[in-house]
Amino acid sequence: MEIGWNPSTWYSLRPFGLGEEKPHHFRDMARIWWENRDELEYGLRILRDGVCDGCALGTTGLKDFTLDGVHLCTVRLELLRLNTMGALDPARVSDVSALEQMPGDSLRRLGRIPFPMVRRRGEPGFTRVAWDRALSLLAEGLRDVDPKALAFYLTSRGITNEVYYVAQKVARFLGTNNVDNSARICHAPSTTALKRSLGVAASTCSYSDWIGTDLLVFFGSHVANNQPVATKYMYRAKEKGTQIAVVNSFREPAMERYWIPSILDSALFGTKLADHFVQVHQGGDVAFLNGVLKHLIETGRTNGAFIETHTVGFEAVAKELDAEPWEDLERFSGVGRDEIRAFADLVARARSAVFVWSMGITQHRFGVDNVQAIVNLALARGYLGRDKCGLMPIRGHSGVQGGAEVGAVPWSFPGGRPVGPESARALSELWGFEVPGWRGLSAVETVHAAHRGEIEALWAIGGDYLSTLPDPAYCREALERVPLRVHQDIVLSASMFVEPLDTVVLLPATTRYEQPGGGTETSTERRIYFSPEIPGRRIAEARTEWQVLLELAARIDPERAGRLTLDDARAVRGDIARAVPFYDGIQRLRHKGEAIQWGGPLLCEGGRTGLPDGRARFHAVSPPELDIPEGLFHVSTRRGKQFNSMVQADRDPLTGGRRDHVFMAAADARRIGVSDGDPITLRSEVGVFHGRCRITPMKERNLQLFWPEANPLIRRDVVEPQCGIPDFTAVVEVSPGHGNPG
């Protein structure tokens, strides 16, 4: 445990936060060690030698590149059992009717998928087949499929850059660009906005820039829940005098105060983290940020020298803001003019700042505009390309940064080159086979195509459509209409049990720690980490996903398969370096602890961007008119004790909320006539949710529900038009009780 003694930041003199709503870290650690007691040595080796398969902070072993000391969080520990547990009893899947109603955490506890299994239409469950038979069946089923009717989707606990890369390469070898990853439902808006404004689609700074920056702002981001180790960075930043602000519709308790278990005084007395909170309407971020920038322009506190030398388009933004009435900005943001100006003054005083955001910003039908408004504010102040400054779309999943960069995207090739005839020709020359130049389907578009009967085969590496996308009933219907489905994973998920139109195949995968030759991941700060193969328990018939895909391609088209020759993991990394020039160096990673940071600590250093003329682009964005009709509420989703869609407990220790709780302001509860814990019913255009009122410091007229439980309320047909992310929000009517509204 590190020694810290910073009384000015202590939250309470009650030791260990007794009586407070907070995680019990040491109790949870003891429970996790007990759960892994049968493979404790293996579990310890994974933690000591592997790269974290949780969020994308990027912890290698128990260290990182930001701070000295030991870094270990409960997010990583909760995932440990997925890597150490044994195989499930195959009798459990011989009839899936008993499994269909089981929650995800119960399914995972049944154990690892032990061997290939097949289920055909009309059969009650799965039967075992040999690998040779499974691959022959799949090759026969895929050989004559129209490439435009073939789709791949990749997302899972800790799959590596190597898996993402080979999967998209095999998909294109088979003639399809229908390949996507889970970035589609998290940071696709960030990629779009950053690419067009800066020519880069990643964080422009490093985590170390948090520590000592004048101002650190979190927009719609809850790192205490999703990236807990980041609270240690916040602690050290406050030691250096950094001011921390949070812009969110819910005043997250753990962003105000947190007990960091690895720092002595924080573990004892807690740490006051955020210095400033601004509560905006959900979806009111553009209006708020436009108001902030409007005030900076009116008071002459933009960085004129930076704007003049390094940017284009500021005049159009200033003109747009001048035409936006303060009354509209206040109404749409839910924030008064004085509070907007006070935040602008905070920004104006900061010579350096880092802006961090995540899904509270991106999961909207105007997510790209939300990100653009953040970018505009940063450019106006010159927070780009210098120490302690930057823009950071923080990642909650260890695979998505690299997954997109190595090409698992329907409209981008490896390295972010847009899909099109010219880039397809260049890639065809590199790879030695014809690469399709047509735009592929995103994950959301694939579901719609499947529902229309246009998808003949769907290959999913991890993922669970029923637990992630809006309108689960519609997603189920879509999966039922796909003749051939393949689910390649380490554990069971609900999507696997959907009745097949013809055939469903389950393939057992390895974890990242079992991959021969090791694997890599790319963190939020663009650092590519090597994670070695770690000796320990093995599922005898589990195979690494990329090896299976290469063997499949060889069976489908043996004459051309020699052009895919990738004999081992080192060869895959060499191929990545050739296809993604800015990943050069990945081919030399081979030992524990090795890493490279593509682009270096800072992107756009000195203010020069990746765009052809080196100048950043302002883009004017207008606030969406989100007037909520009287008596209705705006709903968005939140995360609790979970890793992405993998719910790990019914109760969220940071808030005390349970999975059926509806987070609501006290004033709203009084208007409806309910008290804390009372049953309530939410109705949207498309669905109903029965829950219980949870009175919290929410912005009035706004509600939050846990995801994925809220998905039945979300419309399936509303997506951000520029990047394809679903709009995970809804407008709902709320009534007391669980019956019909009175």
Side-chain angles (χ1 to χ4, degrees), residues 72 170 332 335 365 472 512:
L72 181 63
V170 168
F332 297 147
V335 182
R365 63 184 181 275
R512 69 164 52 175

Side-chain angles (χ1 to χ4, degrees), residues 183-192 357-359 362 393-395 725:
R184 185 64 50 218
I185 60 170
C186 58
H187 270 299
S190 305
T191 298
T192 301
W357 70 91
S358 51
M359 287 180 283
T362 59
I394 195 168
R395 302 284 193 164
I725 192 172

